Amino acid sequence: MNSPTRILVYGVHGSGKSTLAQHLAHRLGLPWHPVDDLLWEPGWVEVPVAVQRSRIEAICRKERWILDGAYHGWRDVPLARADLVIGLDYPRWLSFRWLLRRTLDRLRTREEICNGNRESLGSVLSSESVLVWHLTGYARERARMRAWQQDRAGPPVLLFDTPQALEHWLAALPSRPPGAPSR
């Protein structure tokens, strides 16, 4: 496979989408667009879906990009332009463990995320918690990735069911050409 230039990284919350997208951006010299930065304004105000879609369309019109997620209201946009979808199809226990650890670390350190927002105890314990999203969306997201993989009309989909399988694929991936921009 030639090095892809339009990549959608997909998976459940906590599966490592942003970490992988950042790694691929550096490795391949592609611009990474963190999706959460496009969806959330300060104070955890969600950007209207029409504006989200417009932002994603602008990115996807370009020839080089990496997105670390795709959500309702505009999921079709990157799928229509991607030349590769990487699905992180890890077991629930693994991705939930990673998500819980990340969430607790963010609570402890007060780390700023997506436009200055921070995790809070109230947000973690609410019905809109990222932990709840993981539990309620896990089966749906896995089914979606697997359906994309079977759809020959869509972009190629590589599903990785273990971090080791992903690492093996990454080891064989070429690095960016010398002098290529990293972001």
Side-chain angles (χ1 to χ4, degrees):
M1 167 188 286
N2 291 335
S3 288
T5 61
R6 296 182 306 272
I7 302 171
L8 171 60
V9 178
Y10 198 82
V12 299
H13 295 287
S15 60
K17 298 180 302 289
S18 298
T19 300
L20 176 59
Q22 184 176 24
H23 176 80
L24 288 170
H26 178 73
R27 179 89 178 261
L28 299 174
L30 296 173
W32 165 43
H33 303 275
V35 168
D36 284 346
D37 288 348
L38 303 169
L39 306 186
W40 296 103
E41 297 295 337
W44 290 111
V45 174
E46 186 174 5
V47 172
V49 173
V51 176
Q52 292 177 27
R53 185 176 182 87
S54 176
R55 290 175 177 181
I56 296 299
E57 286 172 339
I59 290 166
C60 291
R61 278 193 292 271
K62 299 175 183 177
E63 289 302 315
R64 299 165 41 81
W65 48 263
I66 297 176
L67 291 173
D68 58 356
Y71 297 102
H72 66 82
W74 53 265
R75 190 178 290 121
D76 61 307
V77 175
L79 280 175
R81 289 279 295 153
D83 50 27
L84 179 63
V85 175
I86 299 173
L88 301 178
D89 190 21
Y90 300 147
R92 180 190 297 263
W93 65 267
L94 181 61
S95 56
F96 189 79
R97 184 179 80 195
W98 288 348
L99 179 62
L100 182 60
R101 182 182 316 143
R102 181 189 80 186
T103 301
L104 292 174
D105 284 348
R106 285 178 174 174
L107 281 172
R108 183 179 48 76
T109 65
R110 304 283 302 141
E111 174 187 349
E112 284 189 14
I113 53 175
C114 58
N115 296 316
N117 291 305
R118 290 182 165 88
E119 301 274 6
S120 69
L121 191 55
S123 69
V124 170
L125 297 177
S126 80
S127 63
E128 293 295 312
S129 167
V130 69
L131 300 172
V132 172
W133 291 348
H134 181 284
L135 294 173
T136 60
Y138 180 83
R140 185 176 51 250
E141 300 302 336
R142 283 187 104 187
R144 183 174 289 124
M145 288 185 286
R146 291 170 180 188
W148 289 346
Q149 188 180 44
Q150 298 304 312
D151 181 4
R152 299 297 172 221
V157 177
L158 298 178
L159 289 185
F160 295 100
D161 59 0
T162 66
Q164 296 79 12
L166 175 63
E167 287 300 322
H168 180 73
W169 179 78
L170 286 170
L173 195 65
S175 293
R176 71 177 182 237
S182 62
R183 180 160 166 161

